[in-house]
Structures are given as C-alpha cells and as structure tokens.
Amino acid sequence: MTIGTDTSITTSLLTLLNVSATKSGKRKVPEDVFVPAEKLNKRKSPRFSEPAPTSQKDADQPEETAAADKEIVLDEVPETSDGKDAYELHFGINPTSLTESSRTAVDSNTWTTTKVRRGCLGSAVLSLPSGPEATEGNEASIDILERLRTPFQTRQSKQSREQTDLQNELLSTLSSRRDLYLTSTPLDSRKGTREAIALHANSFFFRKRRRVLKNNERLAHSAKTNPDAEPPQDTQDQGFTRPSVLFLLPFRSAALDWFSAITSHTPAPTFQVENQSRFTSEYGLPPGAVDKLAEAEPGTYPPDHVETFKGNVDDNFRIGVKLTRKSVKMFSEFYGCDVILASPLGLRRSIEKEKNADYLSSIEVLIVDQLDALSMQNWDHVKFVLSHLNKLPKESHDTDFSRLKPWYLEGHAAYLRQSIFLAAYETPEARALYHNSLKNVAGKLRTQKHWSPIGIPEGIQQNFVHFDCVSPKDEADKRFHHFTTQLLPAVLKSAVQSANTAVFIPSSFDFIRVQNYFKKHSGVSFAILSEYSTNQDISRARQAFFQGKKSFLLISERFHFYKRHIRGIRNVIFYGPPDHPQFFTELLSYPFLDEGVDGSDVTCRVLYSKYDWFRLERIAGSEAAADLIKAA
C-alpha cells in the first residue's frame, strides 16, 4: 500500500482524531479479538513447537478475570528459539522486520530471490526485501496454540501420512509470517489445505484476542491500584477497525467450505455456532434442490468442474463472522466482526454503496482462494478489493487511538499483512498481483510446479503455430493479425478444415474482436458460444453446428469454464492456449463423442507467442514448452 507523503498521513490522522473527539464514547474492546503465531528455527521436518510454560503472573491474575477467561490462561504461547513471543515479533508494537531499509526495498520492488525446496510443497521461489536484514531463515516449528494444536493432532493421526506432511509443511511455512502463493493445488488436497490454513487463521484470532484481554486486565489493574499514575504505555494492540482476516472467494459454496474448515477447529460443545442454520440455508442449495453435479455418476462431468460448481455458485455475497471465547457468530455486522468471507463482486458493491472501505483498513491476514476461478469472473473486482486494503479510514469508527498499534498510525499496515494465495494453476494476472500487491517485509514464497505434457486422444497431430511479438503491449494486435492474415486464410482454402471447425478463444476481448471480424470479413457461416449466451442461444448454436448448418463455432474460454460438451467438432483452432490445461484435452476429445471418428480425422492448431509461457507449459510440458519458445 502506498500511503502518500508523511504530511498527508498526519493530516488524515488529525482529522480522524478530531472526529473521534466529538463522539460520545470510544470503541469498547469486546471480549473477543484474536492473535497469531510466528517464526520457527532450523529447518528439519516441520513440527509443532513445544508449549511455553504458563507464567506465575498469568496464574495469579484476579479471580474474576481468571474465571471469565479460563481458556485464555491455558493458551500457551509458542515462542521462538530465543524465547520471544512469535506473534509479537511480526504483529506486535515493534515488528522486527519492519525497518526503513525493508520498506524502501519493497517500495522500489527490490527483492533478493532464492530458489528453495519446501518439503511436500516442492520447489519454490523465496523473495526477501533486499538489504542487510535479508536472510532466508530455516523454519521448522509450528507455533499453534495448545488448545487448537492438540485436537488437530488427534485428527491428523486418523488421516494419511501424505496429508499430514502437507498440512505440517503449510503450517511451518505460514508460521514465518511470509506471504504464500500456492500455484498448484490438486483437487484431492484442497480440503486438507483449507483445514491447515484455517487452523493458522484461528490461532491468529485467539492469539490476538488473548493479547487484548491481557492488556485490558493490565489497564484495569493499573487504574484500580493507582488511579493517579500513568497507564501502561505498551498496550497498543489494535487496528483502526475490528475485522482482521479476509477470505476472498469466488462462490457461496466456497464460503461454506471455509466455514466448515474454520469450525472444524472450534467444535461443539466447547464452541457454539450462532445462526448456523441460516448460514447453511443461504449459502447452500435451496431445500429440495438437487445438485446434478454432485449426484451424477463419476465420470459424467470432469472432476474439476464438479468441485468448482457443486453447491451454491452465487458470486455476490459477503458475511461477517465474530469469534468469542465460546462461540462463532455468523452474520455479524462488519465493524463488529473478526472475519469477513466475501466475493470480490460482493465487496465491491458494498464499497461503492457505502463510499468507503474502512472495514478493510486493518486486515492483517488475507486468504484468496481459487484464483483460477476468480480469473474467469471479473478480474478487475479482485484488483479493486486489494487496492482498498490497509488504507487509512475515512471515519474514526470509535477507535481508541491509545490502543492503536504504532505502525497503523504510520501507514505501514500493508507491509505486515500476510497474504495467502491459492490456485489450481498460475496465470499472468495472478503473478502480476503477487509481484505488485504483496508488500510483506517478512518476505513471500511462491511454489513452482514442473508440468508434464497433457494427455490427448491418440492419433491427433498437434500443430503449434508461432507468431513473432517483441512487446506484451502489441501481443493482442500481433495475434489477431497473424490469425486473420495467415492462419484463417489457410484453413479456408481447405474444404475439409473449413467445416466442423471450433475456434477456442481464451480472452474475452479477443473473442469479441474475432467475432466482429467473422461478421464483416470471413464470408462463412458461424455460431458463437460465450459466457453471455442464454440457454436458448446455446442450444441453437450447438444444434446448428452439429448438423453442419454452421461451419465455424467460436467458443470463449469462460463459456467452456461454465458449460461443457460440444459435438460435431472435427477441427480445433486454439486462438491461444487455454488457461486450464484440461480444456485442451476436452476440446480434442469431443470429436470422439461421434461414432466412426479416427484420430487422423481431427486437426489441431495452436497459435502462440513467448508470452503464452504459462499456458503453453501446462499443455506441452515444461521441457517441450521451453523448446517451443526457444525454437521460435
């Protein structure tokens, strides 16, 4: 986050203070706020850290406080090897990694990059702000609170060793407080991944809450024993507003999955979930509705399609979650909640309606799930929401400025926010978001995957057609020029290849451009299938193409993301490699839905440039893609 000049920050804060002074009361610190964990030490195999002994001071706290917050007292605080509170090292009053040199390096986008290996996560790229403080560190301990750790380890004992190792590696990596970008999350590991990240988030909640309650006790004790004395000066433990964790998700069904992951660590009868029936009703399917994807026979639909679109796929939602000592309350008001589960569209509409995003000013942990699905919606919504994180609020919202962490006042919150990105595959847009929007001075880690060639039906000859392009700014024009002047004319010269031809177009902008060209210049019959096609339009287009009434069928990738299965294809032209590698296999498999089709009857052309590296790698494999780029 770029806050601007020191003068603008000071002016904004003075305005907030003046507004706050006119209010009747300050925001009371509720009995429910939360706290995270921190660094580890030598890198062996990831392990849970040993609980720190409870101090005598904690044991001797006032009777009424001890009775009210018994669980808090029992929460041992994990420490680093030098005995320091891991949470305080990053989110405390004086974070060790927040230095002028580290902020300067982040602002100038100067990072020291190292290739590392992270156990089950595989190869990764670690980026640290350049400077004398840059050190890789060897994380191994997992600093999760004892009350959360013990039941989690019990559940782990009942699952596979591979799942346990993956979860522990994730928790170890997250305990460093660095940003994490998982660029490839397999379907079979997503549930375990969510549970591990939810455990990390829950530990953050309760660690932060524990810190606030302890400071409440210290201030109350100080005021009671010596009313004339100055109160303790090291009780800054809050942000401008209460919400501190944001889950950015594509569909309501994803919110339901993360709710299950969060509450798996807050089981009954220890915790009570309020408004759960309402939540499951609004975020699940309506009563009596049948989920045809979930109920279908295995193999009827692609597994990734089922996983993405089962359940409620509404993409306009936002909900606040409040966590207390013994309860999880759904549908809490945003300024009174701790966690926000929302879609980019839902948050954008809320921000534009309220004319501010103050409830996002104090987000300290950000989880963005299914970046691949979000890229098939409106990517501008994602960028819009991230651009509003950790900004100075426009109103005070009864903030107690005496309890505000210093780095909030200095406009440095974005340098400490921990962001966690999850995706099935990597896209240029997501990589740009990773490079430009994540400013965590603790560093950031991005996993790397070595891709094998995607499988296709036997006998199909693939023709990868390269076009020259020296600048990404010219890429769209160069691609269109090569398609309209060389590739398409060559196809139209062949009677066989100019019929039953599907043109798959990844970009929505390119799709509109090609569609307009076909309308004006091609002189051939065609139908279109886009994300905006109605069910009636889809039925007509599919039938006309299958019956041979339309020679070409233009298909947008977003259409294929939401809908599958097209018959009558004999020739496939990929205007660009698809983002999702599975789509490549599916398009080349559709011809064989018709009887009597041989592999030699199907043609395949793929138009590409060096800027298609991510997509090309997932289709041809890492080595073959590199050869294609070099040969070009």
Side-chain angles (χ1 to χ4, degrees):
M1 176 187 73
T2 302
I3 295 291
T5 65
D6 291 340
T7 302
S8 64
I9 295 175
T10 302
T11 302
S12 299
L13 288 173
L14 286 174
T15 302
L16 284 172
L17 286 167
N18 289 334
V19 172
S20 179
T22 64
K23 301 278 180 87
S24 58
K26 295 179 180 177
R27 171 164 54 102
K28 294 196 187 255
V29 182
E31 271 195 20
D32 28 86
V33 190
F34 307 176
V35 177
E38 260 287 324
K39 288 193 176 178
L40 334 146
N41 212 358
K42 289 193 173 179
R43 181 163 197 83
K44 301 172 185 172
S45 59
R47 66 186 187 281
F48 284 94
S49 60
E50 294 299 321
T54 305
S55 67
Q56 184 64 34
K57 180 178 180 181
D58 289 346
D60 295 337
Q61 61 181 315
E63 183 176 344
E64 63 274 14
T65 305
D69 301 302
K70 187 176 354 182
E71 288 86 347
I72 300 301
V73 178
L74 296 176
D75 283 347
E76 293 86 353
V77 179
E79 297 178 348
T80 59
S81 59
D82 57 4
K84 295 182 179 179
D85 184 342
Y87 170 77
E88 295 296 329
L89 288 176
H90 189 81
F91 288 114
I93 297 176
N94 297 304
T96 56
S97 57
L98 186 62
T99 63
E100 184 176 356
S101 62
S102 65
R103 288 187 285 105
T104 301
V106 168
D107 289 337
S108 61
N109 205 22
T110 307
W111 301 83
T112 299
T113 302
T114 310
K115 289 189 176 181
V116 297
R117 187 159 189 85
R118 286 291 185 262
C120 298
L121 299 181
S123 299
V125 176
L126 175 63
S127 299
L128 300 172
S130 298
E133 299 93 348
T135 174
E136 177 182 337
N138 293 310
E139 290 77 29
S141 298
I142 301 172
D143 56 344
I144 299 298
L145 289 174
E146 174 70 11
R147 65 185 297 209
L148 299 174
R149 180 177 65 201
T150 301
F152 180 67
Q153 287 177 312
T154 301
R155 291 200 304 275
Q156 281 189 321
S157 65
K158 301 176 183 178
Q159 63 187 24
S160 68
R161 182 65 185 176
E162 292 77 12
Q163 186 86 307
T164 297
D165 289 343
L166 174 61
Q167 290 178 332
N168 289 349
E169 192 66 51
L170 277 170
L171 290 168
S172 170
T173 302
L174 293 173
S175 294
S176 69
R177 297 301 167 208
R178 291 170 181 156
D179 295 337
L180 176 63
Y181 178 16
L182 295 181
T183 59
S184 177
T185 53
L187 292 178
D188 57 359
S189 68
R190 289 186 182 179
K191 182 179 179 181
T193 299
R194 283 195 298 267
E195 289 180 353
I197 294 173
L199 176 63
H200 174 73
N202 279 14
S203 185
F204 170 86
F205 304 150
F206 293 115
R207 296 276 298 279
K208 183 175 181 180
R209 174 176 179 266
R210 182 184 191 276
R211 172 58 56 196
V212 171
L213 290 175
K214 275 184 166 289
N215 285 337
N216 286 350
E217 179 191 340
R218 290 177 59 208
L219 289 169
H221 180 73
S222 174
K224 183 177 180 180
T225 57
N226 195 352
D228 298 326
E230 285 288 328
Q233 298 299 307
D234 57 348
T235 57
Q236 294 88 357
D237 51 19
Q238 300 174 37
F240 289 109
T241 55
R242 179 166 175 169
S244 58
V245 179
L246 171 64
F247 288 85
L248 209 55
L249 311 168
F251 305 114
R252 287 185 181 239
S253 58
L256 197 58
D257 288 337
W258 279 101
F259 164 79
S260 299
I262 292 171
T263 54
S264 69
H265 305 295
T266 57
T270 306
F271 286 85
Q272 177 185 356
V273 180
E274 300 181 28
N275 299 322
Q276 182 174 5
S277 59
R278 176 188 169 190
F279 176 73
T280 54
S281 173
E282 294 187 14
Y283 283 73
L285 290 174
V290 177
D291 191 336
K292 68 175 185 178
L293 293 178
E295 299 295 329
E297 290 290 328
T300 305
Y301 300 97
D304 68 288
H305 189 70
V306 175
E307 181 66 22
T308 302
F309 291 104
K310 66 181 180 182
N312 190 329
V313 291
D314 177 29
D315 64 352
N316 179 19
F317 65 91
R318 56 191 181 277
I319 182 173
V321 184
K322 177 180 179 180
L323 291 99
T324 67
R325 183 167 57 91
K326 289 190 175 182
S327 69
V328 178
K329 183 178 180 180
M330 311 303 293
F331 298 98
S332 294
E333 191 269 333
F334 267 14
Y335 289 99
C337 73
D338 303 289
V339 184
I340 295 175
L341 301 170
S343 66
L345 174 61
L347 277 185
R348 181 165 193 167
R349 286 187 170 180
S350 171
I351 293 169
E352 291 178 342
K353 179 180 179 181
E354 297 181 17
K355 302 284 192 294
N356 72 65
D358 289 355
Y359 50 78
L360 300 180
S361 64
S362 304
I363 297 297
E364 295 180 356
V365 177
L366 167 69
I367 296 103
V368 185
D369 191 18
Q370 299 183 57
L371 277 167
D372 48 299
L374 292 173
S375 69
M376 291 294 167
Q377 296 176 350
N378 191 328
W379 191 252
D380 282 342
H381 296 338
V382 178
K383 295 192 295 183
F384 178 87
V385 171
L386 264 64
S387 70
H388 283 77
L389 294 180
N390 303 121
K391 299 290 187 182
L392 290 176
K394 295 183 178 179
E395 299 179 17
S396 66
H397 301 285
D398 297 326
T399 300
D400 184 352
F401 284 89
S402 68
R403 300 287 294 273
L404 202 60
K405 296 176 183 178
W407 38 271
Y408 274 109
L409 293 170
E410 295 162 355
H412 296 161
Y415 296 111
L416 295 168
R417 185 188 70 235
Q418 183 180 32
S419 301
I420 304 167
F421 287 178
L422 306 174
Y425 54 81
E426 195 171 15
T427 64
E429 294 82 4
R431 176 70 72 87
L433 202 68
Y434 173 82
H435 281 312
N436 301 326
S437 297
L438 305 189
K439 298 188 174 185
N440 190 347
V441 291
K444 50 189 176 182
L445 187 77
R446 172 176 55 84
T447 61
Q448 288 184 313
K449 179 173 179 177
H450 181 276
W451 292 89
S452 300
I454 192 75
I456 64 170
E458 187 178 353
I460 298 179
Q461 184 68 35
Q462 303 173 69
N463 182 12
F464 287 87
V465 181
H466 176 263
F467 67 94
D468 291 322
C469 184
V470 297
S471 170
K473 294 181 180 180
D474 302 327
E475 194 264 353
D477 292 335
K478 294 287 186 180
R479 187 185 300 272
F480 181 74
H481 181 266
H482 190 96
F483 176 79
T484 56
T485 61
Q486 299 187 45
L487 195 153
L488 185 59
V491 169
L492 293 175
K493 289 179 181 179
S494 169
V496 175
Q497 296 182 22
S498 59
N500 304 109
T501 301
V503 182
F504 183 90
I505 307 170
S507 165
S508 295
F509 298 106
D510 288 337
F511 182 86
I512 295 173
R513 192 174 190 180
V514 172
Q515 177 186 348
N516 291 336
Y517 178 84
F518 266 76
K519 286 180 179 178
K520 297 178 181 178
H521 301 95
S522 68
V524 297
S525 60
F526 71 96
I528 64 169
L529 292 175
S530 75
E531 60 269 31
Y532 300 109
S533 299
T534 65
N535 289 335
Q536 190 175 16
D537 294 336
I538 294 170
S539 179
R540 277 200 294 256
R542 282 173 168 169
Q543 186 175 14
F545 181 73
F546 177 70
Q547 294 175 349
K549 296 178 182 179
K550 302 291 183 181
S551 299
F552 284 78
L553 182 64
L554 307 184
I555 308 169
S556 73
E557 181 160 12
R558 287 187 179 180
F559 168 82
H560 193 71
F561 174 71
Y562 291 101
K563 310 283 185 180
R564 307 282 175 103
H565 295 304
I566 302 167
R567 298 184 61 184
I569 297 176
R570 295 296 180 273
N571 310 291
V572 183
I573 299 174
F574 290 94
Y575 189 81
D579 270 318
H580 199 308
Q582 184 66 26
F583 294 174
F584 189 79
T585 300
E586 290 172 7
L587 265 294
L588 294 181
S589 299
Y590 288 159
F592 301 95
L593 295 173
D594 305 323
E595 295 182 2
V597 177
D598 188 76
S600 59
D601 300 330
V602 181
T603 66
C604 169
R605 287 180 170 87
V606 184
L607 188 60
Y608 77 96
S609 74
K610 63 182 180 182
Y611 299 110
D612 290 317
W613 165 254
F614 285 131
R615 302 181 181 98
L616 202 61
E617 181 187 27
R618 293 191 285 270
I619 293 171
S622 299
E623 284 86 2
D627 292 339
L628 285 169
I629 298 296
K630 290 177 182 177

